[in-house]
């Protein structure tokens, strides 16, 4: 369609093309499966359940269970999770169900352990409440350390970037007014036929961040299009293959489905800042993203995707074959996706603390001072940490009362010999939780607070943090 | 070819050990990466399988530490060509070809001395594996 519109114009394209197929294959964390395992004898009203050691929800009555893709195995967390359980079941593998219950007069059993395959299940439906983001952020990391996020492994100081989404192949991008997509739209889902059952959670159409909720019979699905996955130090998820056929009902749709990667823009977002509103550093098109490099300021950053374009193309092509061979029939939605929903942030009734709330003035010294002078300052100001700064108030190091005591015992007099120069720091608008976690991680008891120019603004100590967080 | 990792201490890093060995044994030694300064050096090199033994001995005789780095192996069944590994590779050994498949260039990859891509793979398709000859040489290290 895209090429046809370019070469022959919209009118011709509208006359010649009946349907445009789309596809996407990426990590979709809000995925899961609803299963019904049947009744045991004596029967059990399941309270807690695990499949292959992954905790499973029990949202309904006795034996209906929901496998969430992000639930993690208790024995191998971060390596195996709900997404893998779904993939294993879809592949025909046997899984182990373990469950406990409190026992009732009608459901007396309190424990069960059994092995199951998909053929043993009454129902096994993939049920995803948020899928198929119209477009997504491109992620970078401004911190000095590598971070592991749901956008993958991000190297320090903007050394790489990742993005997600299929761009011009994305289903919702090809029908941005949702003329043909809504409740009841038949789609390609995980290698089988599924349905849209409504808008997805966090659906935000006015921001081109539409999502859909979908359901499909997982017994018929194919593990090629449904893969358990794991993001190191973040958690497990499920890669889901999804494709939507867009019937070209009017010239407008011919035009819309001709959308190209260069017309789809997204933000480069700094995931190094652990806040809800992460700083946006630049705007880039999917064309740039797919080219392998983007520019932010004057910096060229290598970028790669987290979702598979190769599989997305295969999905669109498979869907096309199904339609041509009469195996797949298009449906008109019973109700179109809403176009006016807003996505609100959480209402928080309890206050959250940031570094700024507990920061104190830092007691500082310069590197040229004598150990003895610094020792005296520790006593008179009764602190444990002295921040070492240069003439402009910029951070150059830190010394602790322990460093000073040891230096005095060893007869060292020059401060420069005992300063710790690789200082772990905090930012003013950082949540206290993350600062506190960093202290624990590095086994230290204070963090100098600095700005982007490394100027020392204050210090936050473990003692102050525990007073406030109460632990 | 087998890849070997050579470590030179401060005392011997200035000596032209590698070229001496090439001349003495008349064997090719390909340098893949080298990080060398006055405090010591680490060199990743490639040598022919059949000369591995004598080359390792010759380096050890001159005081260099020799080990066999593991190589990276990609399970193509598991790989979904997502691309999550691509930008992590410091030597650009991972690329995306025209049909959007992710391909690893084994010649370029520096193996377990790097491993940056391994924990970035959501499909856990990348593994470090021992080279064929590693048993033999690993035992000699002690
Ligand atoms: S191990 Fe390192 S060099 Fe080899 S492919 Fe992975 S990232 Fe590249
Ligand atoms: S991260 Fe893993 S699955 Fe993705 S392209 Fe690389 S090897 Fe393949």
């Amino acid at each position: 369609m895209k090429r046809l519109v370019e070469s022959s114009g919209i009118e011709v394209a509208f006359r010649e093309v009946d349907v445009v197929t789309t596809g996407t294959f990426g990590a979709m964390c809000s995925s899961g499966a609803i299963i019904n395992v049947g009744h045991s004898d004596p029967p059990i009203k399941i309270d807690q359940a695990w499949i292959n050691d992954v905790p499973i929800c029990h949202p309904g009555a006795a034996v209906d269970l929901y496998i969430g893709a992000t639930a993690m195995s208790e024995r191998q967390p971060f390596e195996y999770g709900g997404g893998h359980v779904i993939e294993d079941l879809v592949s025909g593998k046997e899984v182990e169900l373990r469950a406990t219950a409190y026992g009732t007069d009608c459901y007396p059993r309190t424990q069960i352990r059994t092995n199951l395959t998909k053929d043993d299940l009454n129902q096994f439906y993939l049920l995803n409440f948020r899928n198929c983001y119209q477009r997504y952020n491109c992620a970078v990391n401004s911190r000095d350390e590598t971070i592991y996020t749901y956008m993958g492994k991000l190297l320090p100081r903007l050394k790489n970037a990742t993005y997600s989404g299929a761009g011009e192949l994305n289903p919702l991008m090809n029908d941005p007014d949702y003329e043909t997509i809504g409740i009841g739209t038949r789609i390609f889902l995980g290698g089988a036929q599924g349905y849209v059952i409504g808008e997805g959670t966090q659906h935000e159409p006015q921001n081109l961040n539409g999502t859909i909720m979908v359901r499909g019979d997982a017994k018929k699905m194919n593990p090629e299009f449904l893969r358990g996955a794991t993001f190191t130090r973040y958690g497990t998820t499920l890669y889901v293959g999804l494709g939507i056929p867009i019937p070209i009902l009017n010239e407008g749709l011919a035009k819309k489905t001709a959308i190209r990667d260069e017309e789809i823009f997204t933000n480069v977002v700094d995931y190094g800042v652990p806040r809800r509103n992460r700083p946006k550093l630049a705007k880039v098109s999917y064309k740039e993203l797919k080219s392998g490099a983007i520019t932010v300021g004057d910096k060229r950053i290598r970028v790669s995707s987290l979702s598979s374009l190769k599989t997305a193309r295969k999905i669109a092509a498979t869907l096309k074959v199904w339609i041509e061979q009469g195996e797949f029939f298009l449906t008109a939605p019973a109700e179109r996706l809403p176009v006016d929903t807003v996505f609100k942030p959480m209402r928080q009734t309890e206050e959250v603390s940031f570094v700024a709330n507990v920061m104190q003035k830092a007691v500082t010294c310069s590197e040229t001072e004598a150990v003895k002078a610094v020792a005296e300052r520790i006593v008179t100001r009764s602190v444990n940490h002295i921040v070492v700064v240069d003439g402009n108030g910029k951070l150059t190091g830190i010394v602790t009362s322990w460093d000073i005591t040891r230096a005095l015992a060893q007869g060292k007099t020059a401060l420069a010999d005992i300063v710790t120069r690789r200082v772990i720091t905090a930012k003013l608008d950082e949540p206290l939780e993350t600062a506190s976690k960093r202290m624990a991680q590095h086994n230290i008891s204070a963090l100098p607070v600095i700005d982007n120019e490394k100027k020392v603004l204050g210090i936050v100590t473990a003692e102050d943090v525990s007073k406030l967080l109460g632990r | 070819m087998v890849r070997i990792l050579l470590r030179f201490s401060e005392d011997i890093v200035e000596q032209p050990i590698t070229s001496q060995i090439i001349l003495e044994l008349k064997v090719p030694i390909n340098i893949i990466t080298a990080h060398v300064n006055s405090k010591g050096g680490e060199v990743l090199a490639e040598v022919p399988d059949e000369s591995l033994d004598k080359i390792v001995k010759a380096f050890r005789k001159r005081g260099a530490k020799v080990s066999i780095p593991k190589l990276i192996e990609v399970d193509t069944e598991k790989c979904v060509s997502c691309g999550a590994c691509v930008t992590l590779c410091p030597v650009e050994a991972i690329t995306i070809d025209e049909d959007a498949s992710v391909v690893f260039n084994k010649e370029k990859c520096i193996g377990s001395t790097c491993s940056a891509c391994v924990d970035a793979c959501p499909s856990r398709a990348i593994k470090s594996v021992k080279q064929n000859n590693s048993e033999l040489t690993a035992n000699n290290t002690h």
Side-chain angles (χ1 to χ4, degrees):
Chain A
M1 179 59 114
K2 303 183 195 300
R3 250 172 285 142
L4 188 62
V5 168
E6 236 168 50
S7 61
S8 318
I10 288 165
E11 259 169 66
V12 175
F14 171 53
R15 254 184 285 123
E16 289 188 4
V17 180
D18 298 324
V19 180
V20 166
T21 60
T22 60
T24 182
F25 183 75
M28 303 191 186
C29 286
S30 302
S31 298
I34 194 98
I35 57 172
N36 179 288
V37 294
H39 288 290
S40 60
D41 185 29
I44 182 168
K45 176 178 181 286
I46 293 177
D47 179 30
Q48 283 188 299
W50 295 261
I51 293 182
N52 290 353
D53 280 310
V54 177
I56 303 300
C57 310
H58 52 104
V63 290
D64 293 309
L65 301 170
Y66 185 79
I67 310 168
T70 53
M72 294 195 279
S73 155
E74 290 177 353
R75 244 184 270 157
Q76 316 168 52
F78 296 98
E79 288 302 318
Y80 187 89
H84 300 90
V85 171
I86 295 171
E87 180 189 333
D88 282 348
L89 277 169
V90 167
S91 321
K93 286 190 191 151
E94 198 171 67
V95 297
E96 185 201 52
L97 170 74
R98 197 157 47 83
T100 57
Y102 47 81
T104 72
D105 289 344
C106 45
Y107 289 103
R109 196 155 182 171
T110 57
Q111 271 190 30
I112 202 160
R113 188 186 280 269
T114 184
N115 291 347
L116 301 168
T117 67
K118 65 177 171 186
D119 297 333
D120 303 315
L121 304 174
N122 291 309
Q123 277 76 26
F124 175 24
Y125 280 102
L126 193 75
L127 191 58
N128 298 351
F129 39 89
R130 180 170 66 255
N131 257 198
C132 198
Y133 258 108
Q134 206 157 345
R135 57 180 184 145
Y136 211 80
N137 293 336
C138 166
V140 292
N141 164 29
S142 67
R143 278 194 232 172
D144 287 333
E145 69 218 337
T146 296
I147 59 172
Y148 290 84
T149 70
Y150 69 85
M151 291 298 287
K153 183 174 176 181
L154 296 172
L155 298 173
R157 295 178 291 276
L158 277 64
K159 260 194 267 168
N160 73 334
T162 58
Y163 73 98
S164 192
E168 64 186 22
L169 259 188
N170 176 286
L172 301 185
M173 261 308 169
N174 280 273
D175 181 9
D177 301 312
Y178 319 131
E179 289 176 65
T180 69
I181 304 173
I183 298 179
T185 301
R186 189 176 288 135
I187 60 172
F188 174 109
L189 183 61
Q193 300 187 13
Y195 295 90
V196 174
I197 55 174
E199 92 268 25
T201 54
Q202 301 186 9
H203 181 60
E204 203 187 7
Q206 282 156 5
N207 223 348
L208 289 181
N209 283 327
T211 70
I212 51 178
M213 203 178 279
V214 301
R215 188 198 97 151
D217 188 351
K219 286 193 185 189
K220 300 195 180 118
M221 291 184 186
N222 175 346
E224 189 185 351
F225 302 106
L226 215 54
R227 289 281 183 104
T230 183
F231 282 85
T232 301
R233 284 163 65 182
Y234 175 75
T236 58
T237 183
L238 186 68
Y239 270 75
V240 179
L242 195 154
I244 303 186
I246 318 257
I248 306 305
L249 305 175
N250 50 47
E251 281 188 17
L253 275 166
K255 190 167 175 217
K256 287 170 197 162
T257 50
I259 190 161
R260 307 300 308 234
D261 282 331
E262 51 263 49
E263 299 166 77
I264 308 171
F265 289 88
T266 188
N267 291 310
V268 180
V269 173
D270 182 2
Y271 277 67
V273 176
R275 295 295 296 270
R276 182 173 58 214
N277 292 326
R278 302 185 180 99
K280 298 184 178 101
L281 307 183
K283 229 183 181 62
V284 291
S285 72
Y286 269 80
K287 183 172 185 188
E288 287 170 272
L289 292 172
K290 287 183 188 172
S291 78
I294 53 170
T295 30
V296 172
D298 51 7
K299 209 175 149 87
R300 181 180 176 274
I301 306 173
R302 288 171 65 207
V303 62
S304 63
S305 141
L306 298 169
S307 47
S308 172
L309 189 61
K310 187 182 174 189
T311 315
R313 283 186 189 156
K314 191 163 177 186
I315 290 167
T318 308
L319 190 50
K320 186 173 170 216
V321 173
W322 286 357
I323 296 169
E324 283 169 351
Q325 297 183 345
E327 291 164 22
F328 184 107
F329 297 99
L330 274 70
T331 57
E335 189 179 292
R336 281 159 57 178
L337 292 183
V339 289
D340 53 0
T341 351
V342 288
F343 172 35
K344 295 189 298 244
M346 184 192 274
R347 169 175 176 231
Q348 283 163 294
T349 50
E350 230 175 63
E351 230 172 275
V352 201
S353 299
F354 296 98
V355 165
N357 299 116
V358 294
M359 182 181 80
Q360 299 196 13
K361 263 193 94 163
V363 179
T364 61
C365 71
S366 95
E367 213 164 283
T368 50
E369 289 183 63
V371 168
K372 195 155 168 293
V374 178
E376 276 161 17
R377 199 163 311 147
I378 284 182
V379 176
T380 54
R381 306 286 296 270
S382 77
V383 290
N384 278 316
H385 302 85
I386 303 263
V387 181
V388 188
V389 293
D390 66 9
N392 299 318
K394 289 192 182 176
L395 179 74
T396 63
I398 192 165
V399 277
T400 64
S401 48
W402 162 252
D403 299 331
I404 297 286
T405 316
R406 197 171 44 178
L408 290 173
Q410 292 172 342
K412 286 187 182 159
T413 53
L415 192 66
D417 293 341
I418 62 162
V419 172
T420 303
R421 286 173 214 283
R422 289 204 57 155
V423 191
I424 317 289
T425 59
K427 290 268 160 69
L428 207 56
D429 57 356
E430 186 178 334
L432 213 45
E433 291 261 19
T434 61
S436 156
K437 209 165 158 186
R438 189 156 344 109
M439 281 193 248
Q441 220 170 42
H442 295 277
N443 199 14
I444 51 178
S445 54
L447 303 171
V449 183
I450 57 170
D451 66 10
N452 288 339
E453 267 73 58
K454 287 190 96 178
K455 209 166 151 90
V456 176
L457 305 171
I459 189 162
V460 35
T461 69
E463 209 180 323
D464 297 333
V465 172
S466 54
K467 256 187 237 154
L468 201 90
L469 296 180
R471 57 181 103 116
Chain B
M1 296 295 263
V2 187
R3 293 204 166 173
I4 56 175
L5 187 67
L6 307 164
R7 289 204 179 84
F8 303 97
S9 66
E10 196 172 342
D11 312 329
I12 56 168
V13 71
E14 308 279 338
Q15 298 169 24
I17 295 179
T18 310
S19 28
Q20 281 172 7
I21 292 176
I22 294 176
L23 289 176
E24 182 189 299
L25 300 179
K26 308 224 167 6
V27 289
I29 298 178
N30 267 339
I31 308 285
I32 312 235
T33 57
H35 301 281
V36 185
N37 58 35
S38 58
K39 292 222 167 64
E42 199 180 91
V43 172
L44 182 70
E46 207 172 45
V47 301
D49 294 43
E50 63 283 3
S51 332
L52 176 69
D53 240 7
K54 54 181 186 185
I55 292 175
V56 170
K57 281 199 189 113
F59 274 107
R60 289 201 173 129
K61 206 173 81 193
R62 288 170 167 83
K65 288 214 168 83
V66 188
S67 55
I68 304 273
K70 289 183 184 169
L71 294 183
I72 295 300
E73 210 169 76
V74 183
D75 183 335
T76 45
E77 287 292 305
K78 278 190 175 175
C79 172
V80 296
S81 280
C82 66
C85 52
V86 175
T87 58
L88 296 163
C89 182
V91 295
E92 308 202 6
I94 319 174
T95 49
I96 303 177
D97 71 8
E98 277 131 57
D99 78 338
S101 302
V102 170
V103 279
F104 281 69
N105 182 341
K106 290 230 160 116
E107 306 287 298
K108 270 194 177 176
C109 169
I110 53 178
S112 62
T113 46
C114 163
S115 296
C117 56
V118 176
D119 67 354
C121 174
S123 307
R124 293 291 183 256
I126 316 172
K127 295 244 145 44
S128 291
V129 288
K130 280 186 174 169
Q131 299 183 78
N132 287 338
N133 282 299
S134 50
E135 298 292 342
L136 171 129
T137 347
N139 293 339
N140 293 344
T141 348
H142 305 291

